[in-house]
Amino acid sequence: MKSIQDKFLFQDRNYIFGNWEDADSKETITVINPSTFEILGTVPKSGKMETDRAIGAAKTTFPSWKKKPAKERANILQKWFRLILENKEDLARIMTLEQGKPIAEARAEIVYAASYIEWFSEEAKRFYGDIIPSHKTDNRIFVLKEPIGVVGTITPWNFPSAMLARKIAPALAAGNTVVSKPSELTPYSAFALAVLGERAGIPKGVWNIITGDPVSIGASLLESKDVRKLSFTGSTKTGMYLMEKSAPTLKKLSLELGGNAPFIVFEDADMEEAVKGAMLSKYRNSGQTCVCVNRFLVHDSIAEEFVSRLSKEAAKLKVGNGLEPEVEQGPLINDAAMKKVELHVEDAVSKGAKLIIGGKKHALGGNFYEPTVLFPVNKEMLVCKEETFGPIASVMTFSSEEEAIAKANDTEFGLASYIYTKDIARIFRVAESLEYGMVGINEGIISSEQVPFGGIKFSGMGREGSKYGMEDYMEIKYLCLGGII
Ligand code: SIN
């Protein structure tokens, strides 16, 4: 990779027990820049053999990593956090090249990823157990929190660094060892983080990374009795598959799955703030986030104004190669993403939605799609039923609070939701009625390391970030001490 300063950050082989290795078969997968279709390089097409070797490395190193005082693990994570920030520019360039997002968003993601490592380095030292009053005079009861063992992580292409960091950081902080499978579309960000992790002092074998055939790597992780926990971010369909296939080994699971986020704008909302929040939430990463607004629900008295202001702002977005400094919206990740977006828009238009702006491939061609606003949409349309994962703002109306809540909850998903209103009583009424794991109130960006990120219903289970994020990587052990007389 020509454009990075520290060439060693660009690694293109599996990282197992501290060694950089090809796949046993020497087969590779080609990694492509989604903006230019330039070939960035290859990574190993690994399968069962490599996965089992990585699991073996994590199993071997688990006892020594677990035994380290929490402060020692915390110090390593803190050093890693600092190295990531020092190398922000290179890491951001690698990310934009393989993922496509604008360089400013890639820099922000590196800081976001680092923030999880800093946060969990701090949590590592403060994860207290309990002493429980016993029912017997000669007993004492202690509760210990212990790491689970070998953890498998499977992470997506939309946030190649942050999604990994928010799993790895709590896992390592708690004393687990890890085998990671990053997306084969964006593997270089993961390898670059591993280089810095090694420089920070993560012992060889404690964190291992393999790329390759998702089905075969997934099957090996699922079948292994040594892998005690699996943490996954991705589609609901894959999450269900992982849950089913984890049953024979009874793994613990963290599943951060799809969303269908409603963004409710009440008639008393601050219109300017609502449009600002809408732009941030909808068009971040070209609409390719699980917390992106999928459906705008706007009170019918202000819907025309909202649509017109949102369209004006969205039309201003500069689309292009994320490495160009002024670009605000990059490409979709690949042709499959493009086809889904095109299908959703065609379906909505065929069922009566009007294209206010956009609605087709951008003039740049390739994976670029125009920022789009559709109005009015309804629940029969795919844009309302499924997660579009693209720069499509789909707006529907409501006429009462009850209707807004009913429409917002009319989905099997339950990840992020948003409401805009100035009425404090309504804020609580609506927030408490929304069947979602997260509610942004007069706020379009709700992600950060201090908060419990996660969903309910078909959006998954478990929480990432915050004090709760650490609990997902620990087991509780209780000690009953008798004979105290
Ligand atoms: C996601 O899309 O899965 C994560 C987005 C975020 O952390 O804000």
Side-chain angles (χ1 to χ4, degrees):
M1 210 169 262
K2 285 186 278 268
S3 56
I4 60 171
Q5 296 289 314
D6 182 346
K7 303 285 183 232
F8 201 71
L9 289 179
F10 179 72
Q11 294 295 332
D12 55 3
R13 293 185 295 163
N14 289 331
Y15 182 62
I16 303 177
F17 228 134
N19 299 314
W20 297 100
E21 300 178 3
D22 290 320
D24 294 4
S25 66
K26 306 284 182 243
E27 279 187 81
T28 57
I29 295 174
T30 302
V31 183
I32 285 173
N33 179 334
S35 286
T36 61
F37 297 106
E38 171 202 2
I39 293 179
L40 298 172
T42 60
V43 288
K45 188 170 181 195
S46 319
K48 181 167 171 51
M49 308 278 271
E50 299 82 353
T51 312
D52 286 350
R53 221 165 33 247
I55 295 170
K59 186 181 176 188
T60 306
T61 48
F62 174 59
S64 56
W65 182 246
K66 172 186 171 180
K67 267 202 202 109
K68 271 195 194 306
K71 184 166 176 164
E72 240 181 83
R73 291 198 297 267
N75 287 343
I76 292 172
L77 292 182
Q78 273 161 26
K79 192 161 173 207
W80 191 21
F81 157 71
R82 286 192 297 273
L83 285 172
I84 291 172
L85 292 188
E86 282 164 23
N87 289 275
K88 182 171 90 176
E89 202 51 36
D90 275 351
L91 295 172
R93 289 184 82 79
I94 291 172
M95 189 187 301
T96 293
L97 283 165
E98 66 180 0
Q99 203 277 344
K101 65 179 65 182
I103 191 73
E105 280 193 40
R107 289 185 190 116
E109 185 183 333
I110 296 303
V111 174
Y112 181 39
S115 74
Y116 283 106
I117 297 171
E118 182 188 38
W119 174 267
F120 285 108
S121 74
E122 293 155 352
E123 288 296 286
K125 294 183 281 186
R126 301 196 179 93
F127 219 73
Y128 308 123
D130 281 315
I131 300 174
I132 298 178
S134 171
H135 63 296
K136 285 177 162 182
T137 50
D138 61 346
N139 270 3
R140 299 293 182 272
I141 295 172
F142 302 90
V143 177
L144 312 182
K145 295 195 178 156
E146 297 191 331
I148 302 169
V150 176
V151 172
T153 73
I154 303 178
T155 46
W157 50 264
N158 62 342
F159 288 85
S161 297
M163 296 306 97
L164 193 55
R166 84 175 174 203
K167 296 181 191 316
I168 300 300
L172 296 183
N176 302 282
T177 52
V178 184
V179 175
S180 294
K181 190 207 87 64
S183 166
E184 58 284 0
L185 300 175
T186 56
Y188 296 130
S189 293
F191 287 142
L193 288 181
V195 170
L196 296 175
E198 189 174 301
R199 286 182 196 165
I202 298 175
K204 292 179 193 310
V206 164
W207 184 24
N208 307 276
I209 306 178
I210 42 175
T211 56
D213 171 32
V215 175
S216 150
I217 295 175
S220 306
L221 290 171
L222 287 161
E223 280 160 18
S224 170
K225 286 191 180 141
D226 293 325
V227 176
R228 297 303 322 135
K229 177 182 169 96
L230 200 59
S231 181
F232 168 72
T233 295
S235 73
T236 297
K237 191 167 160 232
T238 306
M240 286 174 171
Y241 171 83
L242 295 175
M243 189 164 192
E244 186 193 332
K245 299 291 178 193
S246 289
T249 55
L250 276 180
K251 288 185 211 317
K252 273 179 172 263
L253 289 173
S254 291
L255 301 175
E256 202 259 274
L257 309 177
N260 184 357
F263 186 107
I264 309 175
V265 188
F266 287 99
E267 61 277 27
D268 65 336
D270 179 326
M271 179 62 81
E272 203 168 313
E273 282 302 308
V275 171
K276 209 162 98 190
M279 287 298 296
L280 289 171
S281 176
K282 178 65 252 183
Y283 294 103
R284 177 177 172 225
N285 202 11
S286 304
Q288 301 174 111
T289 92
C290 318
V291 289
C292 272
V293 183
N294 207 49
R295 297 166 294 151
F296 286 95
L297 305 171
V298 187
H299 191 269
D300 47 21
S301 63
I302 56 163
E304 295 283 349
E305 185 188 352
F306 179 82
V307 167
S308 142
R309 288 172 74 156
L310 180 66
S311 304
K312 226 178 258 165
E313 290 306 312
K316 285 187 210 155
L317 288 174
K318 170 127 174 68
V319 179
N321 183 337
L323 281 185
E324 292 165 21
E326 68 284 8
V327 161
E328 295 162 296
Q329 191 187 278
L332 296 171
I333 189 69
N334 57 20
D335 193 47
M338 176 64 78
K339 289 208 163 73
K340 184 174 187 190
V341 167
E342 287 179 333
L343 173 71
H344 278 206
V345 172
E346 273 164 33
D347 172 77
V349 172
S350 74
K351 290 176 180 157
K354 291 214 165 39
L355 275 170
I356 309 300
I357 58 161
K360 59 181 188 311
K361 254 192 182 200
H362 193 274
L364 289 170
N367 291 330
F368 294 101
Y369 198 88
E370 293 179 343
T372 296
V373 177
L374 284 167
F375 176 69
V377 299
N378 65 51
K379 69 177 200 168
E380 305 311 325
M381 300 173 182
L382 290 173
V383 283
C384 293
K385 289 196 223 174
E386 294 177 13
E387 192 176 36
T388 302
F389 236 58
I392 315 300
S394 304
V395 186
M396 58 167 74
T397 59
F398 64 86
S399 53
S400 69
E401 190 177 302
E402 295 69 31
E403 188 190 348
I405 293 167
K407 281 186 165 166
N409 286 339
D410 187 17
T411 169
E412 55 205 10
F413 297 99
L415 190 61
S417 56
Y418 305 86
I419 54 180
Y420 274 73
T421 174
K422 290 192 198 119
D423 179 337
I424 193 84
R426 170 179 273 164
I427 285 175
F428 281 95
R429 274 196 314 271
V430 177
E432 288 166 11
S433 306
L434 287 173
E435 295 162 3
Y436 288 84
M438 300 179 279
V439 186
I441 301 156
N442 299 321
E443 180 58 66
I445 293 288
I446 55 174
S447 311
S448 81
E449 77 279 16
Q450 308 95 344
V451 307
F453 188 106
I456 60 173
K457 295 163 71 180
F458 278 29
S459 293
M461 59 188 64
R463 292 295 177 268
E464 299 193 304
S466 79
K467 66 175 182 174
Y468 306 103
M470 189 87 163
E471 282 169 12
D472 276 19
Y473 290 89
M474 305 201 93
E475 296 278 19
I476 287 176
K477 182 186 278 175
Y478 129 70
L479 311 183
C480 181
L481 184 61
I484 311 288
I485 40 172

